[in-house]
Amino acid sequence: MKPDSSRAGRDPIERAHLKDPRDASHVMHRYAPGEDLTSLLRRFWVPVWSVPPHQAAPQKVLQYPVCLVVISHDYARFYGVTAGASTVDLSGSGWAFGTMLQPAAGRMLWQRPVSELTDRHVTIDDVPGLAGAEV
C-alpha cells in the first residue's frame, strides 16, 4: 500500500501493534522511507507516550521477521528478529524513533548471521555496520 500523499509520506496503518482501541497511552506515527532507501528500509515509526504516574501500559507487538534500529530518549539499540509476539511496558512519558529494516539489511549491518540476535538486542555501538556514536 502506498502512503497517503496528503499526509506527507505518513503511513497510518497499524500493522504490527496489537493495540486495544481504548488504550490512549500512546500514538504511533509511521513513515515510508524515501525511494533511495527502500532497498534497505521498510519504514520508520515514532511512538510518543504518556502514562500516568505509577502505571504501566503494556504494548503487544507481533514482530515482522526483520531487524530493527530503535533510538529513544535513553537508549539506542539494534534488535534481532523476535520470535512471535513481544510485550513492551510503557511508563512515564517518552518517545522513540524506530527503523524497520528490509530482510537482508540486518545481516549487512551486523556483518554476521542475524540468528545470533534472535530474541535479543545489542547497543548500536556493538553493530559493525553502524556508526553508533555518530547516530
Side-chain angles (χ1 to χ4, degrees):
M1 176 179 178
K2 295 243 183 225
D4 179 353
S5 61
S6 68
R7 307 222 35 206
R10 189 169 172 186
D11 179 359
I13 305 298
E14 293 286 337
R15 292 187 175 98
H17 288 82
L18 308 175
K19 185 176 178 181
D20 182 331
R22 298 167 293 178
D23 181 358
S25 64
H26 74 286
V27 293
M28 182 73 67
H29 306 283
R30 286 185 173 79
Y31 301 92
E35 284 188 32
D36 56 332
L37 295 174
T38 57
S39 64
L40 297 173
L41 306 177
R42 200 170 261 197
R43 86 170 65 133
F44 300 105
W45 77 94
V46 180
V48 179
W49 63 90
S50 182
V51 179
H54 313 293
Q55 292 184 24
Q59 303 301 306
K60 293 183 181 180
V61 180
L62 182 58
Q63 300 289 351
Y64 284 78
V66 296
C67 294
L68 310 171
V69 176
V70 181
I71 299 170
S72 79
H73 60 286
D74 60 354
Y75 64 81
R77 298 176 180 158
F78 182 79
Y79 287 82
V81 174
T82 299
S86 65
T87 301
V88 175
D89 287 326
L90 300 178
S91 62
S93 294
W95 59 270
F97 177 82
T99 304
M100 178 187 287
L101 304 178
Q102 292 289 10
R107 170 66 166 96
M108 185 183 73
L109 293 175
W110 184 237
Q111 298 180 1
R112 297 192 306 266
V114 294
S115 59
E116 298 173 0
L117 297 175
T118 300
D119 293 325
R120 67 184 201 98
H121 63 268
V122 295
T123 68
I124 61 170
D125 291 333
D126 294 334
V127 180
L130 286 174
E134 292 177 31
V135 174

